[in-house]
Amino acid sequence: MRIVETDVLLVVDVQVDFLPGGALPVPDGDAVVGPVNALLATFPHAVLTQDWHPAGHASFHTSHPGGEPFGTVAMPYGPQVLWPEHCVQGTPGVAFAPGLDVARAELVIRKGYTHAVDSYSAFLEADRTTRTGLAGYLRERGFTRVVLCGLATDFCVAWSALDARAAGFETVVVEDAVRGIDRDGSVAAWARMAAAGVGRVRLAEIMAGRTAAAP
Ligand SMILES: [Zn+2]
């Protein structure tokens, strides 16, 4: 895959709480840091996302009487998975992963800050109507292809990829620079992304393209 000036790397939620030992650990989540750093060193442009919840956020099981972690509750916008408290503003867990090379990020977009609405997607909150502004930003910058990596495959990466595609961007996920929360959920997420026209590429294909394109 040859990288061009109109490509943007979208690094999704590589944050302390999603790593092993964090509040909502993605299995093997820390394994993405190396590949993501390689991508950050390669792409001409990069945007990072951060899950960024206020205390007492509606997606936390502790915000619902009798709510169990990984249970489901009916919200006005549809079913909502209930999560352990994670990525709370002002806590250490909300920070980017140690060792993540954030220096070249041109934008950090935060999501999930609306108290009563979750936001897996970097583009649209879970009510499916409230926009984060990211699509407009990417369009104004002239980007035409969004290349995604990060955490987690079956939630924030998939929802962001599907919304990038729906917003009209060519969309590709780097399959060895993501990790999922649930194996079956990740299989289903890959199927949904494929059906929507989201491409899938390996890190080595990107690096090979970079080598071929070098002067
Ligand atoms: Zn969250």
Side-chain angles (χ1 to χ4, degrees):
M1 185 180 125
R2 183 164 176 189
I3 299 162
V4 294
E5 182 62 22
T6 49
D7 288 336
V8 60
L9 181 70
L10 184 61
V11 179
V12 178
D13 295 5
V14 183
Q15 292 168 263
V16 169
D17 268 347
F18 294 129
L19 304 184
L24 177 46
V26 177
D28 204 26
D30 48 346
V32 304
V33 174
V36 169
N37 279 346
L39 292 165
L40 282 164
T42 300
F43 273 78
H45 306 285
V47 170
L48 310 187
T49 76
Q50 260 179 320
D51 213 28
W52 198 259
H53 298 305
H57 188 251
S59 74
F60 300 160
H61 77 93
T62 46
S63 302
H64 301 266
E68 296 286 336
F70 310 104
T72 304
V73 70
M75 299 285 276
Y77 53 79
Q80 168 71 48
V81 178
L82 294 179
W83 303 105
E85 295 185 14
H86 65 279
C87 296
V88 176
Q89 298 164 11
T91 67
V94 81
F96 288 117
L100 187 72
D101 184 10
V102 300
R104 290 192 59 248
E106 295 169 356
L107 175 76
V108 174
I109 187 151
R110 291 167 170 169
K111 61 188 181 61
Y113 45 73
T114 303
H115 197 279
V117 184
D118 206 0
S119 191
Y120 298 143
S121 166
F123 292 87
L124 276 177
E125 294 188 359
D127 61 7
R128 304 280 81 203
T129 55
T130 307
R131 295 171 188 280
T132 65
L134 182 58
Y137 172 86
L138 297 180
R139 266 190 220 109
E140 282 201 14
R141 298 279 320 269
F143 299 132
T144 59
R145 182 165 61 177
V146 179
V147 179
L148 291 97
C149 57
L151 303 171
T153 315
D154 39 346
F155 287 93
C156 295
V157 171
W159 284 54
S160 296
L162 291 167
D163 284 348
R165 190 76 199 95
F169 298 100
E170 188 183 343
T171 307
V172 180
V173 176
V174 185
E175 64 182 23
D176 42 1
V178 295
R179 290 294 185 279
I181 290 179
D182 175 76
R183 184 181 299 269
D184 292 341
S186 296
V187 170
W190 281 116
R192 277 203 312 280
M193 290 191 281
V198 174
R200 187 167 170 167
V201 67
R202 293 187 64 81
L203 179 65
E205 294 172 61
I206 291 175
M207 293 306 161
R210 178 193 63 165
T211 304

